[in-house]
Amino acid sequence: MDERPVDAGALIHELEGHLLIEATRGEGRAEAGRFTRQFGWLTDSQRAEVEERFAEEYVSLARLSWRRTVQRGAELRGEYEEAYRVLRRRLVAGWVFGMVCLTAVAVLAVSCV
């Protein structure tokens, strides 16, 4: 047996991924059934083939959508991290400027006394 420790987080993410794919496959099959009902002239084998292809395309489109969502999430994360860095730099610069001003006022106050 493998002696490496089990990463529970990775295992949970993998399980969630499998469940999501299976749920999407079920949705695809259901949508395929609804789609083919309108074609009463299809034979049973033709209907099964159309449903299978429809369900495959449904899952394929869902995966493409998920990839785009992940990509956009990464883009947004980068944008927000950059905005955070800029704001943090401004805050630090303002704090340093304020401390310099306080120190200058303190030095002037002491020298005037």
mmCIF file of all heavy atoms in Angstrom, residues 55-95:
data_model
loop_
_atom_site.group_PDB
_atom_site.id
_atom_site.type_symbol
_atom_site.label_atom_id
_atom_site.label_comp_id
_atom_site.label_asym_id
_atom_site.label_seq_id
_atom_site.Cartn_x
_atom_site.Cartn_y
_atom_site.Cartn_z
ATOM 1 N N ALA A 55 -26.054 14.454 -25.808
ATOM 2 C CA ALA A 55 -25.542 14.414 -24.431
ATOM 3 C C ALA A 55 -24.033 14.645 -24.403
ATOM 4 O O ALA A 55 -23.528 15.371 -23.528
ATOM 5 C CB ALA A 55 -25.894 13.084 -23.777
ATOM 6 N N GLU A 56 -23.298 14.060 -25.350
ATOM 7 C CA GLU A 56 -21.848 14.277 -25.419
ATOM 8 C C GLU A 56 -21.536 15.752 -25.673
ATOM 9 O O GLU A 56 -20.633 16.322 -25.056
ATOM 10 C CB GLU A 56 -21.235 13.411 -26.528
ATOM 11 C CG GLU A 56 -21.178 11.941 -26.211
ATOM 12 C CD GLU A 56 -20.742 11.104 -27.413
ATOM 13 O OE1 GLU A 56 -20.410 11.687 -28.469
ATOM 14 O OE2 GLU A 56 -20.747 9.868 -27.286
ATOM 15 N N GLU A 57 -22.282 16.355 -26.589
ATOM 16 C CA GLU A 57 -22.066 17.770 -26.907
ATOM 17 C C GLU A 57 -22.423 18.647 -25.706
ATOM 18 O O GLU A 57 -21.751 19.641 -25.427
ATOM 19 C CB GLU A 57 -22.899 18.165 -28.125
ATOM 20 C CG GLU A 57 -22.583 19.525 -28.672
ATOM 21 C CD GLU A 57 -21.163 19.648 -29.213
ATOM 22 O OE1 GLU A 57 -20.558 18.636 -29.602
ATOM 23 O OE2 GLU A 57 -20.660 20.783 -29.235
ATOM 24 N N TYR A 58 -23.465 18.269 -24.992
ATOM 25 C CA TYR A 58 -23.887 19.003 -23.802
ATOM 26 C C TYR A 58 -22.754 19.034 -22.770
ATOM 27 O O TYR A 58 -22.418 20.095 -22.228
ATOM 28 C CB TYR A 58 -25.139 18.346 -23.225
ATOM 29 C CG TYR A 58 -25.782 19.083 -22.085
ATOM 30 C CD1 TYR A 58 -26.793 20.001 -22.321
ATOM 31 C CD2 TYR A 58 -25.407 18.840 -20.763
ATOM 32 C CE1 TYR A 58 -27.404 20.680 -21.284
ATOM 33 C CE2 TYR A 58 -26.006 19.510 -19.712
ATOM 34 C CZ TYR A 58 -26.997 20.421 -19.983
ATOM 35 O OH TYR A 58 -27.590 21.092 -18.942
ATOM 36 N N VAL A 59 -22.159 17.878 -22.509
ATOM 37 C CA VAL A 59 -21.056 17.794 -21.544
ATOM 38 C C VAL A 59 -19.846 18.565 -22.060
ATOM 39 O O VAL A 59 -19.187 19.279 -21.302
ATOM 40 C CB VAL A 59 -20.692 16.320 -21.244
ATOM 41 C CG1 VAL A 59 -19.417 16.225 -20.422
ATOM 42 C CG2 VAL A 59 -21.838 15.633 -20.519
ATOM 43 N N SER A 60 -19.570 18.458 -23.347
ATOM 44 C CA SER A 60 -18.445 19.172 -23.935
ATOM 45 C C SER A 60 -18.612 20.685 -23.784
ATOM 46 O O SER A 60 -17.667 21.398 -23.414
ATOM 47 C CB SER A 60 -18.317 18.797 -25.414
ATOM 48 O OG SER A 60 -17.303 19.527 -26.025
ATOM 49 N N LEU A 61 -19.810 21.172 -24.052
ATOM 50 C CA LEU A 61 -20.074 22.607 -23.903
ATOM 51 C C LEU A 61 -20.002 23.043 -22.442
ATOM 52 O O LEU A 61 -19.522 24.136 -22.131
ATOM 53 C CB LEU A 61 -21.441 22.958 -24.497
ATOM 54 C CG LEU A 61 -21.523 22.889 -26.023
ATOM 55 C CD1 LEU A 61 -22.964 23.060 -26.484
ATOM 56 C CD2 LEU A 61 -20.621 23.931 -26.659
ATOM 57 N N ALA A 62 -20.461 22.184 -21.539
ATOM 58 C CA ALA A 62 -20.379 22.503 -20.107
ATOM 59 C C ALA A 62 -18.917 22.611 -19.680
ATOM 60 O O ALA A 62 -18.535 23.551 -18.960
ATOM 61 C CB ALA A 62 -21.092 21.442 -19.282
ATOM 62 N N ARG A 63 -18.070 21.691 -20.143
ATOM 63 C CA ARG A 63 -16.644 21.751 -19.793
ATOM 64 C C ARG A 63 -15.998 23.015 -20.344
ATOM 65 O O ARG A 63 -15.186 23.650 -19.667
ATOM 66 C CB ARG A 63 -15.916 20.517 -20.322
ATOM 67 C CG ARG A 63 -16.180 19.294 -19.508
ATOM 68 C CD ARG A 63 -15.393 18.116 -20.014
ATOM 69 N NE ARG A 63 -15.641 16.977 -19.154
ATOM 70 C CZ ARG A 63 -15.064 15.812 -19.307
ATOM 71 N NH1 ARG A 63 -14.198 15.620 -20.270
ATOM 72 N NH2 ARG A 63 -15.348 14.825 -18.479
ATOM 73 N N LEU A 64 -16.347 23.367 -21.574
ATOM 74 C CA LEU A 64 -15.814 24.596 -22.165
ATOM 75 C C LEU A 64 -16.226 25.812 -21.327
ATOM 76 O O LEU A 64 -15.413 26.694 -21.052
ATOM 77 C CB LEU A 64 -16.311 24.743 -23.602
ATOM 78 C CG LEU A 64 -15.875 25.995 -24.351
ATOM 79 C CD1 LEU A 64 -14.351 26.051 -24.471
ATOM 80 C CD2 LEU A 64 -16.524 26.024 -25.723
ATOM 81 N N SER A 65 -17.478 25.816 -20.907
ATOM 82 C CA SER A 65 -17.969 26.907 -20.056
ATOM 83 C C SER A 65 -17.217 26.954 -18.738
ATOM 84 O O SER A 65 -16.845 28.034 -18.254
ATOM 85 C CB SER A 65 -19.468 26.715 -19.804
ATOM 86 O OG SER A 65 -19.941 27.673 -18.894
ATOM 87 N N TRP A 66 -16.955 25.787 -18.144
ATOM 88 C CA TRP A 66 -16.222 25.747 -16.875
ATOM 89 C C TRP A 66 -14.805 26.274 -17.070
ATOM 90 O O TRP A 66 -14.289 27.002 -16.227
ATOM 91 C CB TRP A 66 -16.174 24.332 -16.317
ATOM 92 C CG TRP A 66 -17.516 23.768 -15.974
ATOM 93 C CD1 TRP A 66 -18.648 24.458 -15.635
ATOM 94 C CD2 TRP A 66 -17.879 22.393 -15.958
ATOM 95 N NE1 TRP A 66 -19.676 23.590 -15.406
ATOM 96 C CE2 TRP A 66 -19.242 22.320 -15.591
ATOM 97 C CE3 TRP A 66 -17.185 21.214 -16.210
ATOM 98 C CZ2 TRP A 66 -19.923 21.116 -15.467
ATOM 99 C CZ3 TRP A 66 -17.866 20.009 -16.086
ATOM 100 C CH2 TRP A 66 -19.211 19.964 -15.716
ATOM 101 N N ARG A 67 -14.160 25.886 -18.174
ATOM 102 C CA ARG A 67 -12.794 26.367 -18.438
ATOM 103 C C ARG A 67 -12.771 27.872 -18.590
ATOM 104 O O ARG A 67 -11.876 28.550 -18.088
ATOM 105 C CB ARG A 67 -12.226 25.693 -19.688
ATOM 106 C CG ARG A 67 -11.820 24.263 -19.458
ATOM 107 C CD ARG A 67 -11.125 23.674 -20.677
ATOM 108 N NE ARG A 67 -10.904 22.260 -20.485
ATOM 109 C CZ ARG A 67 -11.547 21.305 -21.148
ATOM 110 N NH1 ARG A 67 -12.424 21.619 -22.075
ATOM 111 N NH2 ARG A 67 -11.297 20.039 -20.899
ATOM 112 N N ARG A 68 -13.750 28.407 -19.316
ATOM 113 C CA ARG A 68 -13.822 29.865 -19.482
ATOM 114 C C ARG A 68 -14.061 30.553 -18.146
ATOM 115 O O ARG A 68 -13.495 31.611 -17.880
ATOM 116 C CB ARG A 68 -14.936 30.220 -20.463
ATOM 117 C CG ARG A 68 -14.578 29.895 -21.884
ATOM 118 C CD ARG A 68 -15.675 30.306 -22.826
ATOM 119 N NE ARG A 68 -15.317 29.999 -24.198
ATOM 120 C CZ ARG A 68 -16.189 29.848 -25.164
ATOM 121 N NH1 ARG A 68 -17.486 29.989 -24.913
ATOM 122 N NH2 ARG A 68 -15.800 29.566 -26.386
ATOM 123 N N THR A 69 -14.890 29.947 -17.308
ATOM 124 C CA THR A 69 -15.150 30.521 -15.989
ATOM 125 C C THR A 69 -13.885 30.529 -15.142
ATOM 126 O O THR A 69 -13.578 31.523 -14.473
ATOM 127 C CB THR A 69 -16.266 29.733 -15.275
ATOM 128 O OG1 THR A 69 -17.448 29.775 -16.076
ATOM 129 C CG2 THR A 69 -16.552 30.296 -13.900
ATOM 130 N N VAL A 70 -13.135 29.435 -15.188
ATOM 131 C CA VAL A 70 -11.875 29.356 -14.442
ATOM 132 C C VAL A 70 -10.886 30.393 -14.968
ATOM 133 O O VAL A 70 -10.226 31.093 -14.192
ATOM 134 C CB VAL A 70 -11.271 27.933 -14.527
ATOM 135 C CG1 VAL A 70 -9.836 27.908 -14.042
ATOM 136 C CG2 VAL A 70 -12.120 26.961 -13.728
ATOM 137 N N GLN A 71 -10.808 30.516 -16.290
ATOM 138 C CA GLN A 71 -9.891 31.486 -16.896
ATOM 139 C C GLN A 71 -10.271 32.910 -16.487
ATOM 140 O O GLN A 71 -9.418 33.696 -16.098
ATOM 141 C CB GLN A 71 -9.922 31.355 -18.414
ATOM 142 C CG GLN A 71 -8.997 32.301 -19.129
ATOM 143 C CD GLN A 71 -9.083 32.162 -20.646
ATOM 144 O OE1 GLN A 71 -9.923 31.423 -21.173
ATOM 145 N NE2 GLN A 71 -8.237 32.860 -21.346
ATOM 146 N N ARG A 72 -11.555 33.228 -16.557
ATOM 147 C CA ARG A 72 -11.998 34.569 -16.178
ATOM 148 C C ARG A 72 -11.771 34.808 -14.690
ATOM 149 O O ARG A 72 -11.395 35.907 -14.277
ATOM 150 C CB ARG A 72 -13.472 34.762 -16.528
ATOM 151 C CG ARG A 72 -13.983 36.146 -16.235
ATOM 152 C CD ARG A 72 -13.248 37.209 -17.032
ATOM 153 N NE ARG A 72 -13.758 38.519 -16.681
ATOM 154 C CZ ARG A 72 -13.012 39.599 -16.573
ATOM 155 N NH1 ARG A 72 -11.720 39.537 -16.831
ATOM 156 N NH2 ARG A 72 -13.535 40.740 -16.228
ATOM 157 N N GLY A 73 -11.979 33.786 -13.879
ATOM 158 C CA GLY A 73 -11.710 33.919 -12.446
ATOM 159 C C GLY A 73 -10.252 34.230 -12.178
ATOM 160 O O GLY A 73 -9.933 35.069 -11.331
ATOM 161 N N ALA A 74 -9.360 33.574 -12.913
ATOM 162 C CA ALA A 74 -7.931 33.844 -12.752
ATOM 163 C C ALA A 74 -7.601 35.262 -13.195
ATOM 164 O O ALA A 74 -6.805 35.954 -12.542
ATOM 165 C CB ALA A 74 -7.114 32.831 -13.555
ATOM 166 N N GLU A 75 -8.219 35.706 -14.300
ATOM 167 C CA GLU A 75 -7.995 37.080 -14.752
ATOM 168 C C GLU A 75 -8.462 38.085 -13.701
ATOM 169 O O GLU A 75 -7.754 39.050 -13.390
ATOM 170 C CB GLU A 75 -8.730 37.333 -16.064
ATOM 171 C CG GLU A 75 -8.162 36.599 -17.256
ATOM 172 C CD GLU A 75 -9.059 36.686 -18.482
ATOM 173 O OE1 GLU A 75 -10.140 37.325 -18.403
ATOM 174 O OE2 GLU A 75 -8.691 36.100 -19.513
ATOM 175 N N LEU A 76 -9.662 37.866 -13.175
ATOM 176 C CA LEU A 76 -10.191 38.774 -12.151
ATOM 177 C C LEU A 76 -9.333 38.767 -10.898
ATOM 178 O O LEU A 76 -9.093 39.816 -10.298
ATOM 179 C CB LEU A 76 -11.632 38.392 -11.796
ATOM 180 C CG LEU A 76 -12.686 38.753 -12.833
ATOM 181 C CD1 LEU A 76 -14.035 38.178 -12.429
ATOM 182 C CD2 LEU A 76 -12.774 40.257 -13.004
ATOM 183 N N ARG A 77 -8.854 37.593 -10.525
ATOM 184 C CA ARG A 77 -7.995 37.506 -9.347
ATOM 185 C C ARG A 77 -6.736 38.351 -9.550
ATOM 186 O O ARG A 77 -6.327 39.096 -8.662
ATOM 187 C CB ARG A 77 -7.624 36.056 -9.063
ATOM 188 C CG ARG A 77 -6.756 35.914 -7.853
ATOM 189 C CD ARG A 77 -6.372 34.468 -7.600
ATOM 190 N NE ARG A 77 -5.583 34.404 -6.400
ATOM 191 C CZ ARG A 77 -5.756 33.519 -5.449
ATOM 192 N NH1 ARG A 77 -6.687 32.607 -5.556
ATOM 193 N NH2 ARG A 77 -4.986 33.528 -4.389
ATOM 194 N N GLY A 78 -6.138 38.243 -10.726
ATOM 195 C CA GLY A 78 -4.951 39.042 -11.028
ATOM 196 C C GLY A 78 -5.245 40.528 -10.980
ATOM 197 O O GLY A 78 -4.462 41.314 -10.428
ATOM 198 N N GLU A 79 -6.389 40.922 -11.556
ATOM 199 C CA GLU A 79 -6.766 42.337 -11.545
ATOM 200 C C GLU A 79 -6.967 42.837 -10.113
ATOM 201 O O GLU A 79 -6.502 43.928 -9.752
ATOM 202 C CB GLU A 79 -8.040 42.547 -12.357
ATOM 203 C CG GLU A 79 -7.851 42.349 -13.845
ATOM 204 C CD GLU A 79 -9.162 42.373 -14.611
ATOM 205 O OE1 GLU A 79 -10.178 42.851 -14.057
ATOM 206 O OE2 GLU A 79 -9.170 41.913 -15.768
ATOM 207 N N TYR A 80 -7.681 42.061 -9.305
ATOM 208 C CA TYR A 80 -7.930 42.477 -7.927
ATOM 209 C C TYR A 80 -6.653 42.478 -7.092
ATOM 210 O O TYR A 80 -6.460 43.357 -6.246
ATOM 211 C CB TYR A 80 -8.995 41.592 -7.267
ATOM 212 C CG TYR A 80 -10.396 41.935 -7.702
ATOM 213 C CD1 TYR A 80 -11.169 41.019 -8.389
ATOM 214 C CD2 TYR A 80 -10.939 43.182 -7.444
ATOM 215 C CE1 TYR A 80 -12.457 41.326 -8.798
ATOM 216 C CE2 TYR A 80 -12.218 43.505 -7.844
ATOM 217 C CZ TYR A 80 -12.976 42.577 -8.520
ATOM 218 O OH TYR A 80 -14.242 42.889 -8.926
ATOM 219 N N GLU A 81 -5.770 41.519 -7.331
ATOM 220 C CA GLU A 81 -4.513 41.505 -6.592
ATOM 221 C C GLU A 81 -3.676 42.730 -6.943
ATOM 222 O O GLU A 81 -3.048 43.328 -6.060
ATOM 223 C CB GLU A 81 -3.734 40.220 -6.880
ATOM 224 C CG GLU A 81 -4.317 39.015 -6.171
ATOM 225 C CD GLU A 81 -3.612 37.716 -6.533
ATOM 226 O OE1 GLU A 81 -2.809 37.688 -7.490
ATOM 227 O OE2 GLU A 81 -3.875 36.716 -5.838
ATOM 228 N N GLU A 82 -3.664 43.121 -8.210
ATOM 229 C CA GLU A 82 -2.915 44.318 -8.614
ATOM 230 C C GLU A 82 -3.527 45.566 -7.985
ATOM 231 O O GLU A 82 -2.808 46.434 -7.481
ATOM 232 C CB GLU A 82 -2.892 44.445 -10.138
ATOM 233 C CG GLU A 82 -2.158 45.668 -10.634
ATOM 234 C CD GLU A 82 -0.700 45.730 -10.200
ATOM 235 O OE1 GLU A 82 -0.071 44.679 -9.978
ATOM 236 O OE2 GLU A 82 -0.177 46.864 -10.069
ATOM 237 N N ALA A 83 -4.842 45.668 -7.980
ATOM 238 C CA ALA A 83 -5.508 46.815 -7.350
ATOM 239 C C ALA A 83 -5.193 46.854 -5.856
ATOM 240 O O ALA A 83 -4.944 47.935 -5.290
ATOM 241 C CB ALA A 83 -7.012 46.743 -7.569
ATOM 242 N N TYR A 84 -5.160 45.694 -5.213
ATOM 243 C CA TYR A 84 -4.837 45.618 -3.798
ATOM 244 C C TYR A 84 -3.403 46.092 -3.551
ATOM 245 O O TYR A 84 -3.149 46.843 -2.612
ATOM 246 C CB TYR A 84 -5.017 44.186 -3.300
ATOM 247 C CG TYR A 84 -4.579 43.984 -1.872
ATOM 248 C CD1 TYR A 84 -5.352 44.443 -0.817
ATOM 249 C CD2 TYR A 84 -3.379 43.351 -1.581
ATOM 250 C CE1 TYR A 84 -4.954 44.263 0.495
ATOM 251 C CE2 TYR A 84 -2.962 43.165 -0.281
ATOM 252 C CZ TYR A 84 -3.751 43.626 0.756
ATOM 253 O OH TYR A 84 -3.340 43.456 2.042
ATOM 254 N N ARG A 85 -2.467 45.657 -4.413
ATOM 255 C CA ARG A 85 -1.074 46.101 -4.254
ATOM 256 C C ARG A 85 -0.953 47.623 -4.386
ATOM 257 O O ARG A 85 -0.238 48.269 -3.616
ATOM 258 C CB ARG A 85 -0.169 45.408 -5.278
ATOM 259 C CG ARG A 85 0.194 43.990 -4.918
ATOM 260 C CD ARG A 85 1.273 43.433 -5.838
ATOM 261 N NE ARG A 85 0.788 43.151 -7.177
ATOM 262 C CZ ARG A 85 0.193 42.019 -7.538
ATOM 263 N NH1 ARG A 85 0.010 41.065 -6.640
ATOM 264 N NH2 ARG A 85 -0.214 41.833 -8.776
ATOM 265 N N VAL A 86 -1.659 48.196 -5.359
ATOM 266 C CA VAL A 86 -1.623 49.647 -5.556
ATOM 267 C C VAL A 86 -2.189 50.352 -4.328
ATOM 268 O O VAL A 86 -1.590 51.316 -3.825
ATOM 269 C CB VAL A 86 -2.391 50.044 -6.837
ATOM 270 C CG1 VAL A 86 -2.616 51.544 -6.905
ATOM 271 C CG2 VAL A 86 -1.658 49.557 -8.076
ATOM 272 N N LEU A 87 -3.314 49.892 -3.835
ATOM 273 C CA LEU A 87 -3.918 50.513 -2.654
ATOM 274 C C LEU A 87 -3.019 50.375 -1.426
ATOM 275 O O LEU A 87 -2.889 51.314 -0.629
ATOM 276 C CB LEU A 87 -5.285 49.901 -2.375
ATOM 277 C CG LEU A 87 -6.380 50.264 -3.371
ATOM 278 C CD1 LEU A 87 -7.637 49.445 -3.096
ATOM 279 C CD2 LEU A 87 -6.689 51.751 -3.328
ATOM 280 N N ARG A 88 -2.389 49.224 -1.291
ATOM 281 C CA ARG A 88 -1.487 49.013 -0.157
ATOM 282 C C ARG A 88 -0.291 49.960 -0.239
ATOM 283 O O ARG A 88 0.108 50.550 0.770
ATOM 284 C CB ARG A 88 -1.029 47.557 -0.116
ATOM 285 C CG ARG A 88 -0.283 47.216 1.149
ATOM 286 C CD ARG A 88 0.027 45.749 1.242
ATOM 287 N NE ARG A 88 0.736 45.314 0.043
ATOM 288 C CZ ARG A 88 0.861 44.059 -0.334
ATOM 289 N NH1 ARG A 88 0.321 43.105 0.376
ATOM 290 N NH2 ARG A 88 1.525 43.744 -1.419
ATOM 291 N N ARG A 89 0.265 50.114 -1.459
ATOM 292 C CA ARG A 89 1.384 51.057 -1.625
ATOM 293 C C ARG A 89 0.959 52.476 -1.267
ATOM 294 O O ARG A 89 1.697 53.215 -0.616
ATOM 295 C CB ARG A 89 1.910 51.014 -3.059
ATOM 296 C CG ARG A 89 2.930 49.930 -3.276
ATOM 297 C CD ARG A 89 3.551 50.041 -4.660
ATOM 298 N NE ARG A 89 3.147 48.847 -5.373
ATOM 299 C CZ ARG A 89 2.597 48.784 -6.562
ATOM 300 N NH1 ARG A 89 2.395 49.869 -7.255
ATOM 301 N NH2 ARG A 89 2.246 47.645 -7.099
ATOM 302 N N ARG A 90 -0.245 52.862 -1.702
ATOM 303 C CA ARG A 90 -0.742 54.210 -1.378
ATOM 304 C C ARG A 90 -0.913 54.391 0.126
ATOM 305 O O ARG A 90 -0.583 55.446 0.680
ATOM 306 C CB ARG A 90 -2.077 54.463 -2.073
ATOM 307 C CG ARG A 90 -1.957 54.704 -3.541
ATOM 308 C CD ARG A 90 -3.320 55.000 -4.116
ATOM 309 N NE ARG A 90 -3.264 55.113 -5.551
ATOM 310 C CZ ARG A 90 -4.330 55.182 -6.321
ATOM 311 N NH1 ARG A 90 -5.544 55.143 -5.792
ATOM 312 N NH2 ARG A 90 -4.207 55.291 -7.620
ATOM 313 N N LEU A 91 -1.434 53.375 0.770
ATOM 314 C CA LEU A 91 -1.640 53.444 2.218
ATOM 315 C C LEU A 91 -0.308 53.577 2.943
ATOM 316 O O LEU A 91 -0.162 54.418 3.845
ATOM 317 C CB LEU A 91 -2.386 52.204 2.708
ATOM 318 C CG LEU A 91 -2.625 52.125 4.215
ATOM 319 C CD1 LEU A 91 -3.528 53.264 4.661
ATOM 320 C CD2 LEU A 91 -3.228 50.792 4.580
ATOM 321 N N VAL A 92 0.669 52.773 2.560
ATOM 322 C CA VAL A 92 1.984 52.842 3.197
ATOM 323 C C VAL A 92 2.626 54.203 2.934
ATOM 324 O O VAL A 92 3.198 54.820 3.841
ATOM 325 C CB VAL A 92 2.895 51.681 2.720
ATOM 326 C CG1 VAL A 92 4.328 51.889 3.152
ATOM 327 C CG2 VAL A 92 2.360 50.360 3.240
ATOM 328 N N ALA A 93 2.513 54.687 1.689
ATOM 329 C CA ALA A 93 3.087 55.999 1.367
ATOM 330 C C ALA A 93 2.408 57.099 2.185
ATOM 331 O O ALA A 93 3.077 58.007 2.698
ATOM 332 C CB ALA A 93 2.946 56.284 -0.126
ATOM 333 N N GLY A 94 1.086 57.019 2.321
ATOM 334 C CA GLY A 94 0.364 58.010 3.124
ATOM 335 C C GLY A 94 0.760 57.936 4.587
ATOM 336 O O GLY A 94 0.929 58.980 5.250
ATOM 337 N N TRP A 95 0.936 56.716 5.096
ATOM 338 C CA TRP A 95 1.338 56.544 6.486
ATOM 339 C C TRP A 95 2.738 57.121 6.712
ATOM 340 O O TRP A 95 2.974 57.832 7.694
ATOM 341 C CB TRP A 95 1.302 55.065 6.844
ATOM 342 C CG TRP A 95 1.608 54.807 8.289
ATOM 343 C CD1 TRP A 95 0.751 54.871 9.328
ATOM 344 C CD2 TRP A 95 2.882 54.463 8.823
ATOM 345 N NE1 TRP A 95 1.400 54.579 10.493
ATOM 346 C CE2 TRP A 95 2.728 54.330 10.215
ATOM 347 C CE3 TRP A 95 4.131 54.264 8.285
ATOM 348 C CZ2 TRP A 95 3.775 54.002 11.057
ATOM 349 C CZ3 TRP A 95 5.173 53.926 9.113
ATOM 350 C CH2 TRP A 95 4.995 53.804 10.488
#
